[in-house]
Amino acid sequence: QQRFGDGLSEPVATFLLNQDLVVTGRDGAIEVYRMQGHHLRMVTSYKGHPSQPIGVVATRGFGDGVTNEFLVIRQGGAVDVYDYQA
């Protein structure tokens, strides 16, 4: 058992097509994790828009369909697109 996303208020999470785990919370913080063996390792974290997320969705992007891109859907209908380098 391993904890992740500690400190995020009302977190929402999903797995991306590349199998990374994305979690975001009300304050806009976004954390990306990757499995290494039986443990999660944080790949990156950054600040998004501070508002309540209602969903995180993996996207296919272009090309081979395995990307580091995802959408965060927020209350009120705002959709933010993110991409990161791992």
Side-chain angles (χ1 to χ4, degrees):
Q1 182 177 352
Q2 183 177 346
R3 298 180 59 90
F4 64 92
D6 287 342
L8 296 180
S9 174
E10 301 178 51
V12 177
T14 196
F15 284 97
L16 301 182
L17 296 173
N18 66 4
Q19 300 180 0
D20 286 351
L21 175 66
V22 175
V23 61
T24 185
R26 177 183 288 279
D27 67 350
I30 297 170
E31 298 177 356
V32 181
Y33 295 87
R34 180 167 294 148
M35 288 297 297
Q36 280 191 325
H38 297 291
H39 300 283
L40 286 173
R41 176 183 61 89
M42 186 180 292
V43 175
T44 190
S45 66
Y46 48 98
K47 204 66 161 152
H49 299 297
S51 65
Q52 179 58 44
I54 58 173
V56 180
V57 180
T59 63
R60 287 201 174 275
F62 297 100
D64 63 8
V66 180
T67 69
N68 296 340
E69 185 180 273
F70 59 94
L71 308 175
V72 176
I73 304 166
R74 302 204 174 271
Q75 276 185 344
V79 176
D80 303 319
V81 179
Y82 296 95
D83 194 355
Y84 64 95
Q85 298 298 319

